[in-house]
Amino acid sequence: MGRSLLILPLLAGGLLAQPVVFEGGVRNAASYTPAGHINSGLARGSLIVLFGRNLGPATLVQGTYPLPFELGGTSVRIGGVDAPVVYASASQVAAILPSNVALGVAPLTVRAGGQTSPPVNVDVVQRNFGIFTASQTGAGPAILQNFDSQTSQPLNTILQPARPGQVVTLWGTGLGPVTGPENEVPRPVELDMPILVRVGFRNARVLYKGRSGCCAGVDQIVFEVPAGIEGCYVPVVVVAGE
């Protein structure tokens, strides 16, 4: 009888610690587009974020290169493929959606504290570009850099606007899959695909579209600001893929 009273609370405590990914809680790390909305599919090779509870350590742990497939006791599996983990905490995890995950609906699970979460389904697509924003919420001014020179590329702001004809770099994630290890130190890789960038409803000349040399799963689009474009806040639209 005494053994039973000791064991039952331990089992109850273990059940409470099971990781749970919130329904709709897996999103593009730049756009944060909610599941079920237009353009909410998650691209192969993109940086994604997961929201839930008991997903990892109480204090956020940041991965270093080569990115691990288990970080702070947390691992992520998507469509039967292990995902490189970028950072992990109890309520939020970032990972790279592996480029070799099959297209379509795929189950995603998180393993933490020796337990595996109930699976949630995510929609895996070939590409779906999300733009990083200054607010880090997917809304508001985009993260762009004005190219003045190789040593001067200030952040595009209302105080430092780009000029017509100037080259700028747009940051995001979701341009599509790559080959080779995705957990190693990133290197620029241009992706072969059609892309359209519109600035203020005018087409821009694209100079580069592909992985950045900065961070795993992060993409850059380098383009020229079209002539005749002016204004404090001008819309930027990216259409990537066939």
Side-chain angles (χ1 to χ4, degrees), residues 88-109:
S89 69
S91 60
Q92 185 172 333
V93 173
I96 307 298
L97 198 160
S99 289
N100 60 339
V101 172
L103 296 174
V105 176
L108 179 149
T109 57

Side-chain angles (χ1 to χ4, degrees), residues 62-68 71 85-86 183:
Q62 184 81 38
T64 58
Y65 295 107
L67 293 173
L71 179 65
V85 181
V86 178
N183 64 328

Side-chain angles (χ1 to χ4, degrees), residues 45-162:
S46 64
L47 180 64
I48 62 173
V49 289
L50 294 63
F51 298 95
R53 62 176 181 270
N54 304 321
L55 299 180
T59 302
L60 185 143
V61 179
Q62 184 81 38
T64 58
Y65 295 107
L67 293 173
F69 292 94
E70 181 177 317
L71 179 65
T74 296
S75 59
V76 179
R77 195 166 176 83
I78 307 170
V81 182
D82 293 325
V85 181
V86 178
Y87 64 76
S89 69
S91 60
Q92 185 172 333
V93 173
I96 307 298
L97 198 160
S99 289
N100 60 339
V101 172
L103 296 174
V105 176
L108 179 149
T109 57
V110 173
R111 185 165 179 80
Q115 297 193 65
T116 302
S117 70
V120 296
N121 287 331
V122 295
D123 185 20
V124 179
V125 297
Q126 184 73 351
R127 55 182 57 90
N128 189 7
F129 187 69
I131 298 173
F132 286 108
T133 62
S135 66
Q136 299 183 24
T137 64
I143 297 295
L144 298 105
Q145 288 177 282
N146 304 331
F147 185 88
D148 294 332
S149 68
Q150 288 291 347
T151 57
S152 177
Q153 299 180 45
L155 187 67
N156 178 279
T157 68
I158 196 169
L159 299 178
Q160 291 187 298

Side-chain angles (χ1 to χ4, degrees), residues 142-228:
I143 297 295
L144 298 105
Q145 288 177 282
N146 304 331
F147 185 88
D148 294 332
S149 68
Q150 288 291 347
T151 57
S152 177
Q153 299 180 45
L155 187 67
N156 178 279
T157 68
I158 196 169
L159 299 178
Q160 291 187 298
R163 305 178 304 276
Q166 186 171 15
V167 173
V168 297
T169 300
L170 176 66
W171 291 81
T173 185
L175 282 182
V178 293
T179 58
E182 295 178 277
N183 64 328
E184 295 183 354
V185 176
R187 58 187 180 86
V189 177
E190 183 151 17
L191 299 177
D192 182 16
M193 62 173 185
I195 191 168
L196 174 67
V197 177
R198 293 180 64 83
V199 182
F201 307 108
R202 294 194 180 188
N203 292 350
R205 186 165 76 97
V206 177
L207 306 176
Y208 175 83
K209 59 202 187 296
R211 289 292 189 274
S212 73
C214 155
C215 315
V218 174
D219 298 317
Q220 293 177 319
I221 301 175
V222 182
F223 62 89
E224 289 181 356
V225 178

